[in-house]
Amino acid sequence: GSEMCIRDSFDEEVKVELGQPTKESGESALKALDKAMTDFRSQLYDVLVACPVSLSNMTANEVGYTYNGLKEYAETCIGDGAKGMKIMVNESLRIALATSGLAIKDVPANITEENILNKIRTLNTCLKRDFRLSNPRIGVLALNPKADGVEEKEILLPAIKKAEEEGITAYGPYAAEDYFGKNACDAFDCTLAMYDDQANIPFTTTCLLYTSPSPRDRG
């Protein structure tokens, strides 16, 4: 079974106007996040679902929030070297990121065999535990457009082979154009992309396909 309870994170009354971020609302959101992470470390709950947060009023100049996003914040709060993983999910795709929030010029340096292998391991565990998939199939994208660069041969392919030796069902590296353009992604339970745009563009596109009205609906 499961339980849900509501816990207050601060006592004072805060005036909140919908759609209007303020310093006070940023302070309240940060207090709620701090309380949530404290309770998580105390093992009072298993899953944290965060509502959309306006980072514009939670910056260092306002209330001292200095992280790029909630993932980095949670990693710092949990400590012990724990690393989170960004996974985007919609009706047709699951896409995880090997790197997140980096400038394009900094991406290659973060594509190492150790990093990719650890990402595949983490993703495999997450798919089994959180998505209840007994033998998840993971498709790994290439860093370079034609999947024939040094990174593919010396980093990605060895990492994938080591994952396979550990019993993880991972394949690739695939050129993103062929992987998404020829619907090869349909054969996999989740995709490991190398950087933000490689994941965000196909993910957003499929979201629009599901949410855009058809010509008939438009009248």
Side-chain angles (χ1 to χ4, degrees), residues 24 29 41 67-68 94 108 138 162 170 177 192:
E24 289 74 22
R41 289 192 295 269
Y67 307 97
N68 291 327
R94 300 185 188 98
I138 300 170
K162 286 185 178 180
E177 180 182 7
L192 179 62

Side-chain angles (χ1 to χ4, degrees), residues 119-163:
K119 292 292 184 181
I120 294 174
R121 288 168 175 159
T122 300
L123 185 55
N124 184 64
T125 299
C126 173
L127 292 169
K128 286 184 173 181
R129 183 191 63 199
D130 302 325
F131 291 90
R132 296 293 191 266
L133 299 175
S134 59
N135 184 31
R137 295 169 57 87
I138 300 170
V140 181
L141 295 184
L143 176 64
N144 297 292
K146 300 301 181 183
D148 59 357
V150 173
E151 291 84 0
E152 283 74 27
K153 297 174 183 177
E154 298 183 3
I155 297 174
L156 295 176
L157 191 56
I160 293 169
K161 287 183 176 179
K162 286 185 178 180

Side-chain angles (χ1 to χ4, degrees), residues 163-182:
E164 291 175 340
E165 291 171 359
E166 296 178 9
I168 299 173
T169 308
Y171 296 97
Y174 297 102
E177 180 182 7
D178 294 334
Y179 186 82
F180 293 112
K182 297 180 180 179

Side-chain angles (χ1 to χ4, degrees), residues 10 22 44 66 101 107 123 153 177 208:
F10 47 87
T22 64
L44 296 183
T66 59
V107 171
L123 185 55
K153 297 174 183 177
E177 180 182 7
L208 292 174

Side-chain angles (χ1 to χ4, degrees), residues 48-211:
L48 171 63
V49 179
C51 294
V53 175
S54 175
L55 298 180
S56 63
N57 62 320
M58 292 175 59
T59 62
N61 292 333
E62 293 291 333
V63 297
Y65 186 90
T66 59
Y67 307 97
N68 291 327
L70 293 180
K71 182 176 79 69
E72 289 78 9
Y73 169 79
E75 288 173 349
T76 302
C77 290
I78 295 172
D80 298 326
K83 292 296 180 182
M85 193 171 192
K86 183 176 181 180
I87 304 177
M88 298 179 289
V89 180
N90 64 21
E91 293 186 48
S92 63
L93 287 176
R94 300 185 188 98
I95 306 181
L97 286 169
T99 67
S100 179
L102 297 179
I104 292 295
K105 65 180 179 62
D106 296 326
V107 171
N110 286 272
I111 303 298
T112 65
E113 183 177 328
E114 181 182 10
N115 179 39
I116 296 302
L117 181 56
N118 285 333
K119 292 292 184 181
I120 294 174
R121 288 168 175 159
T122 300
L123 185 55
N124 184 64
T125 299
C126 173
L127 292 169
K128 286 184 173 181
R129 183 191 63 199
D130 302 325
F131 291 90
R132 296 293 191 266
L133 299 175
S134 59
N135 184 31
R137 295 169 57 87
I138 300 170
V140 181
L141 295 184
L143 176 64
N144 297 292
K146 300 301 181 183
D148 59 357
V150 173
E151 291 84 0
E152 283 74 27
K153 297 174 183 177
E154 298 183 3
I155 297 174
L156 295 176
L157 191 56
I160 293 169
K161 287 183 176 179
K162 286 185 178 180
E164 291 175 340
E165 291 171 359
E166 296 178 9
I168 299 173
T169 308
Y171 296 97
Y174 297 102
E177 180 182 7
D178 294 334
Y179 186 82
F180 293 112
K182 297 180 180 179
N183 295 326
C185 55
D186 292 343
F188 297 95
D189 297 300
C190 192
T191 302
L192 179 62
M194 295 297 104
Y195 55 93
D196 295 82
D197 283 356
Q198 195 180 52
N200 292 337
I201 292 172
F203 182 80
T204 302
T205 301
T206 54
C207 285
L208 292 174
L209 290 175
Y210 277 100
T211 57

